[in-house]
Amino acid sequence: MQRRCSSGVLLALALVAAGCAGLTPREEERLGAQMHWQLLHENALLGDEVVGQYVDSIGSAILQAAPDDEFPYRFFVLVSDETNAFAAPGGYVYVHTGTILRSRNVAELAAVLAHEVGHVERRHVAANVGRRRTVGLAQQLGVVAAGVAAGPAAASAVSLLGGAASLAALNSFGREAESEADAFAVEILPRAGYDPEGLVTFFQTLEQEKGASPPAFLSSHPATEARVAETRRLVDALPDREHLRRDDGGRLEIIQERIRLLTGVVDPAAAP
């Protein structure tokens, strides 16, 4: 047991120290797995196989179209009325039930997933991890040591970055990163068979709904007018979009109704 805890301390210290130098892909995978463990511990995931397989099928189509999938991506659904989606290091992608319910067609849901994959592929999430780890390094090391002494080795990195709330914080990006993820989505979605127009219409829907309390997705991924206009320009420049899918024969609507039955949410826009 002592040997296991010591290795956990070494892993955590190595990951913290990697903040300045950056994370390797393997380090990202290990950190992502530990953060996912925390989400499981928090019971934050929707444990429904039908909904999970549906989201995974969309994610798989996106990955097959990606030029280089360096990570073994995994897609999960979080139970939350918020309209949000985010990624953990190493290819863990999460979408909220509120996002699925607000998607007007499968092209919009695919666009959200492709955008998050873009953040992982362009290493934006890993860069944010590195930046966070350079702040308060001594304090973080103390938290890591205490966490390992108190429980499993996985608790070390979990104490360092936490669960859903910290993962959402890691997905706050600057203008350049958002533009890169948008461009990635617009490039990949047609290869996967989805109309990238879904990215533009999803932003437009959220902008119309935001009011005084903007959706979480807009808070961490601000959709400025210039950003939406640039995405529109990229989409309009694509040739031959008539064959690309916006709908999937009612499957999305069936999944949405299943989520409503499982979670008790009728109208996510009216949820507190």
Side-chain angles (χ1 to χ4, degrees):
M1 183 67 176
Q2 181 62 39
R3 181 178 180 182
R4 180 183 178 187
C5 289
S6 297
S7 64
V9 172
L10 291 176
L11 170 62
L13 296 183
L15 288 175
V16 172
C20 296
L23 299 175
T24 69
R26 301 293 78 80
E27 286 172 337
E28 285 188 53
E29 288 182 30
R30 296 173 73 178
L31 180 57
Q34 291 172 323
M35 299 176 82
H36 181 71
W37 178 89
Q38 174 68 7
L39 291 180
L40 292 175
H41 182 71
E42 294 175 356
N43 294 318
L45 301 178
L46 180 68
D48 183 75
E49 186 175 353
V50 175
V51 176
Q53 287 180 348
Y54 176 76
V55 172
D56 190 65
S57 67
I58 299 173
S60 297
I62 292 169
L63 295 179
Q64 290 176 6
D68 180 24
D69 52 340
E70 188 170 16
F71 301 103
Y73 280 86
R74 306 161 184 86
F75 297 87
F76 301 94
V77 178
L78 283 172
V79 180
S80 173
D81 296 335
E82 288 187 338
T83 306
N84 204 7
F86 51 82
Y92 289 80
V93 178
Y94 304 90
V95 59
H96 287 200
T97 51
T99 301
I100 300 175
L101 292 177
R102 279 186 175 87
S103 297
R104 293 183 295 179
N105 53 58
V106 70
E108 291 191 351
L109 180 56
V112 172
L113 295 178
H115 179 88
E116 296 306 320
V117 170
H119 279 308
V120 178
E121 286 290 310
R122 298 296 183 255
R123 309 300 292 278
H124 300 152
V125 179
N128 276 358
V129 171
R131 281 191 288 269
R132 284 172 62 92
R133 282 193 171 134
T134 60
V135 178
L137 182 58
Q139 179 183 1
Q140 291 181 6
L141 291 177
V143 171
V144 169
V148 173
S156 60
V158 168
S159 297
L160 184 64
L161 288 172
S166 292
L167 277 172
L170 286 178
N171 282 257
S172 181
F173 303 107
R175 181 181 303 175
E176 182 178 355
E178 292 296 356
S179 296
E180 288 181 0
D182 290 341
F184 177 92
V186 172
E187 175 188 356
I188 292 302
L189 286 167
R191 298 181 190 174
Y194 297 106
D195 190 346
E197 175 82 9
L199 185 59
V200 177
T201 58
F202 185 76
F203 285 146
Q204 291 173 340
T205 297
L206 295 186
E207 281 290 336
Q208 292 170 1
E209 293 181 359
K210 70 178 185 179
S213 179
F217 192 85
L218 291 187
S219 299
S220 56
H221 306 259
T224 63
E225 290 185 10
R227 177 184 168 195
V228 174
E230 175 60 16
T231 304
R232 163 63 67 191
R233 186 190 68 80
L234 292 175
V235 171
D236 289 344
L238 295 173
D240 188 24
R241 287 171 38 216
E242 288 78 9
H243 67 288
L244 298 177
R245 283 185 293 167
R246 290 193 179 186
D247 300 299
D248 57 356
R251 290 187 64 203
L252 174 62
E253 289 73 16
I254 293 173
I255 292 298
Q256 289 172 332
E257 183 59 27
R258 187 176 183 89
I259 289 174
R260 293 187 185 99
L261 292 173
L262 290 169
T263 63
V265 172
V266 177
D267 181 3

